[in-house]
Amino acid sequence: MARELHISSLVVHARPEAADAIRPAMAGLSGIEIHGEANGKFVLTLETESEQTIVDHLNTISLLDGVLAATLVFHHVEELTEAE
């Protein structure tokens, strides 16, 4: 089975007063980078090796106290060669 790189973007809406607690919890998940934040809204990118990891991270984020919604906006898959 070929290795894959999954690149996706997420938008997370949270209660503004919960943002300070949510930010480190999301940043601690593997492959996540926070690109923007304002008033409890976050824009993230995620790089994983499987779709299942995307789903797992979305579920984890959705269940954080103060998160109202976590939405997948974009998903792209690259097949990796042995050199990559």
Side-chain angles (χ1 to χ4, degrees):
M1 185 170 164
R3 288 186 45 225
E4 296 177 332
L5 173 64
H6 293 258
I7 302 166
S8 54
S9 63
L10 316 172
V11 173
V12 177
H13 291 250
R15 291 187 176 91
E17 65 274 11
D20 288 340
I22 292 167
R23 187 183 314 101
M26 291 188 302
L29 295 171
S30 63
I32 283 191
E33 186 174 339
I34 299 173
H35 293 278
E37 173 191 350
N39 301 319
K41 296 175 185 160
F42 296 86
V43 175
L44 317 171
T45 54
L46 177 57
E47 293 185 8
T48 65
E49 292 184 3
S50 71
E51 283 184 57
Q52 186 59 51
T53 305
I54 297 168
V55 172
D56 293 344
H57 282 1
L58 271 170
N59 287 336
T60 297
I61 293 168
S62 293
L63 294 173
L64 292 172
D65 193 35
V67 170
L68 303 172
T71 307
L72 179 67
V73 177
F74 174 80
H75 179 223
H76 176 75
V77 181
E78 289 285 330
E79 204 169 294
L80 299 177
T81 64
E82 287 187 35
E84 296 173 304

